[in-house]
Amino acid sequence: EPEVTQTPSHQVTQMGQEVILRCVPISNHLYFYWYRQILGQKVEFLVSFYNNEISEKSEIFDDQFSVERPDGSNFTLKIRSTKLEDSAMYFCASSGLGLAGTYNEQFFGPGTRLTVL
Amino acid sequence: ELKVEQNPLFLSMQEGKNYTIYCNYSTTSDRLYWYRQDPGKSLESLFVLLSNGAVKQEGRLMASLDTKARLSTLHITAAVHDLSATYFCAVDINAGNMLTFGGGTRLMVKP
């Protein structure tokens, strides 16, 4: 069964460093998302991406964050200068088109645990 | 701003008992999702509810959606230990561009 994959599973970085989190969405999906979950808290939306551009972003997704689809398979989240409060689990998700062109459900990857020291 | 509230936040129950988790949301939507998350794991899709009155069942879990009341329920029948996990509801009000999650309900089923 197709699934969303993410690398690395765990990333440890120093405050102020740049990190890139990688995701491979399900191959025929068209919509891509990043969410984060601070330990013990709810899942929060960061950004959605369609047709090579951001379609929606939250207040969390400030200028320190960027997303890119560098090739036909990968979808990346970059944090330019990490802060302690960026420590969280980051989930990538993807979805395709449902019947009659409607949006379909999102499938989540296993997550990348980011620890900022 | 959309608010999604779940209750209870924590639920400890005995095996064999029934219980209901509630998900209220503040803005009109006809798309609601239930996910399960085991500790340290990702989100597993349980149910997709796409219209008022939708009811779906899988094993001991049944989910329903009342869009007029802006309420979804996840009913657990004859709980077993394997159902222990955190359950999240998520609401879509923006044509698939983003999901807004509830705070989660941590369920512990004791033998």
Side-chain angles (χ1 to χ4, degrees), chain A residues 4-6 8-9 21-23 32-39 41-47 67 75 77 88-94 106-114, chain B residues 36-44 88 101:
Chain A
V4 178
T5 59
Q6 290 184 242
S9 56
L21 310 183
R22 291 183 167 80
C23 167
F32 314 115
Y33 313 84
W34 285 101
Y35 293 82
R36 79 171 186 190
Q37 185 180 32
I38 296 170
L39 186 64
Q41 298 187 22
K42 68 177 181 181
V43 179
E44 299 173 292
F45 169 78
L46 292 178
V47 66
V67 289
F75 179 51
L77 174 69
M89 182 75 95
Y90 287 80
F91 292 108
C92 173
S94 70
Q106 297 180 24
F107 293 88
F108 285 76
T112 292
R113 179 166 298 283
L114 176 65
Chain B
R36 168 182 170 144
Q37 185 180 40
D38 291 293
K41 302 292 185 183
S42 186
L43 296 155
E44 174 192 353
F88 290 96
F101 282 79

